[in-house]
Amino acid sequence: MYEEYPVTSHFSMAPSFQTMGCFLNKVASSSLVSAFLLVHGLGPTFSSPHSLTSHLLPRSLADFQFANQTYFKFMFVRHPMDRMLSCYLDKMVDSPHYSLPAFRNYVKHKARHIMEKRRRAQQHETSLDNKPQIRKLLSVHDGALSWNRPDSQIIYGHQVGNDKATFVADETETQKLHRYVGQRRHHDPVDLSNQIAKAATPLAKNTTAVKPTFEEFLEFVLDTDLQGIGYDSHWVPFNRYCSPCSVPYHVIGKLETGAEDFQYIWDKTGLGTQVPVPWINRNTAPSKSKIALEKKHYSSLPRELIMRFYHAFRMDFELFDYSINDILLKAGYETV
């Protein structure tokens, strides 16, 4: 049974308007945070509005519980795959932030490992269907499993000795990342964040070589725990971050109808008397260039990857009434 536990730091408050919102990265969060900061008397210009979100958080659990019972509450969502594409273009392609080149390099390296591991697993499953071959390769002597071919290669580890199927465990994920960013002396303690920052400096001069493809980025995302920590906050499922089954939202707006939804919330709460409506000048109809960009990236994805993404984010699709067929059609695939 799935249980929700709202995290107070995921919510922003405007007490003077008795309003509380859950703002998700890549869903107009910068516009919403900026608006709430203005309500608190901060601004009007921000180099990074997200760096000031501590001013918007509930002061205590009791503060959150009171707001949850009495305040007007809202959140915004968008098509889950469109959000992934927006995140990909920002973090993997466009943003010049100094920390991203090393992260992009790691994403690409990890995704290739994931894809190769899946390819080998599929080959292994295919070989298991060939039962006569398996019988020839494996034998049991005195309760020990042995390979009849001493020169056989063992997948997902390495074989010890010439006849026994003895395996040495792979490195942990932390060890792999330490090794990847240049840590060679395992006996010395190392600050991983500093190593990544150092690795980013030389890579920043030539980032084109380390940009993952959209397919690689999705493979990486699907291999994470999706709990919303660190970079994962940009692709954590909506339902995990905003707890819609525990927080009685008055409005769950959609970015696809953002102009109308923002206007309604600002009128309903009175926020419009103090701060302008976010997205009021945004064009809700997608431009030709946006349509072409989406088609380019979605058509680059294997159909089975799109479906794996759908199953991983299925609760968001169903709770907020989105369809994976929209993406399959843009990609040129058969719908479900």
Side-chain angles (χ1 to χ4, degrees):
M1 182 178 178
Y2 177 74
E3 293 186 43
E4 286 185 345
Y5 299 95
V7 179
T8 59
S9 61
H10 292 176
F11 296 86
S12 298
M13 300 175 63
S16 58
F17 291 94
Q18 293 193 319
T19 301
M20 181 170 72
C22 180
F23 306 152
L24 288 137
N25 283 327
K26 311 314 298 178
V27 192
S29 60
S30 295
S31 297
L32 287 163
V33 169
S34 297
F36 270 48
L37 288 172
L38 287 173
V39 171
H40 283 257
L42 301 171
T45 59
F46 313 95
S47 58
S48 176
H50 288 283
S51 66
L52 301 173
T53 54
S54 60
H55 295 280
L56 308 179
L57 304 181
R59 293 167 295 182
S60 64
L61 178 60
D63 199 23
F64 167 78
Q65 290 173 335
F66 176 77
N68 196 34
Q69 294 172 0
T70 62
Y71 280 19
F72 181 93
K73 295 167 289 294
F74 73 94
M75 64 177 284
F76 269 83
V77 297
R78 67 188 297 186
H79 195 291
M81 185 65 91
D82 288 345
R83 181 182 177 222
M84 288 301 108
L85 179 56
S86 175
C87 181
Y88 167 74
L89 294 173
D90 179 24
K91 300 302 178 186
M92 298 293 108
V93 179
D94 297 330
S95 176
H97 196 275
Y98 74 92
S99 68
L100 288 174
F103 180 62
R104 290 167 181 161
N105 215 2
Y106 176 66
V107 168
K108 192 173 189 72
H109 173 80
K110 180 66 184 293
R112 286 179 174 178
H113 171 74
I114 293 167
M115 294 163 76
E116 177 62 16
K117 186 175 180 179
R118 177 173 292 106
R119 184 186 67 80
R120 291 182 176 181
Q122 290 171 346
Q123 288 180 341
H124 182 62
E125 290 175 2
T126 301
S127 69
L128 287 178
D129 293 334
N130 190 347
K131 294 182 180 180
Q133 180 184 5
I134 295 300
R135 293 193 189 101
K136 292 178 182 178
L137 288 176
L138 297 175
S139 61
V140 178
H141 300 285
D142 299 325
L145 181 66
S146 300
W147 289 85
N148 291 327
R149 289 179 54 193
D151 61 341
S152 61
Q153 297 296 314
I154 307 300
I155 300 172
Y156 309 132
H158 63 274
Q159 187 173 336
V160 178
N162 291 328
D163 56 346
K164 303 296 183 183
T166 305
F167 295 84
V168 174
D170 290 336
E171 293 175 290
T172 64
E173 198 60 45
T174 300
Q175 288 172 328
K176 291 178 184 177
L177 184 52
H178 275 282
R179 175 169 55 79
Y180 184 70
V181 298
Q183 176 60 17
R184 295 290 187 267
R185 300 167 62 191
H186 294 288
H187 59 278
D188 290 338
V190 62
D191 184 335
L192 185 58
S193 61
N194 287 339
Q195 289 292 328
I196 292 178
K198 291 177 182 177
T201 303
L203 289 171
K205 297 178 181 178
N206 182 21
T207 58
T208 57
V210 297
K211 291 179 180 178
T213 65
F214 189 36
E215 178 182 358
E216 290 168 339
F217 176 68
L218 280 186
E219 289 282 9
F220 175 82
V221 168
L222 293 179
D223 195 61
T224 66
D225 61 7
L226 301 175
Q227 292 300 314
I229 300 171
Y231 278 102
D232 287 6
S233 65
H234 290 84
W235 54 76
V236 61
F238 304 138
N239 69 89
R240 288 195 180 182
Y241 196 84
C242 290
S243 306
C245 296
S246 301
V247 177
Y249 291 101
H250 294 83
V251 172
I252 297 178
K254 290 189 171 185
L255 215 57
E256 292 82 0
T257 54
E260 296 86 353
D261 295 348
F262 277 120
Q263 186 68 60
Y264 175 81
I265 293 169
W266 256 235
D267 291 343
K268 190 74 174 178
T269 61
L271 284 165
T273 63
Q274 186 170 340
V275 293
V277 178
W279 276 59
I280 191 65
N281 295 319
R282 297 294 180 100
N283 184 3
T284 56
S287 64
K288 290 183 179 180
S289 60
K290 183 175 183 295
I291 293 173
L293 185 68
E294 290 177 347
K295 183 177 181 179
K296 171 188 172 183
H297 287 289
Y298 293 147
S299 62
S300 72
L301 303 176
R303 189 179 188 277
E304 64 86 20
L305 176 56
I306 295 175
M307 294 309 299
R308 278 195 284 120
F309 174 83
Y310 168 68
H311 289 297
F313 286 79
R314 186 166 185 168
M315 187 173 290
D316 279 354
F317 277 91
E318 294 185 353
L319 280 176
F320 306 112
D321 194 26
Y322 287 107
S323 173
I324 195 61
N325 284 334
D326 298 337
I327 306 303
L328 290 171
L329 286 171
K330 291 177 183 178
Y333 292 122
E334 182 181 352
T335 59
V336 293

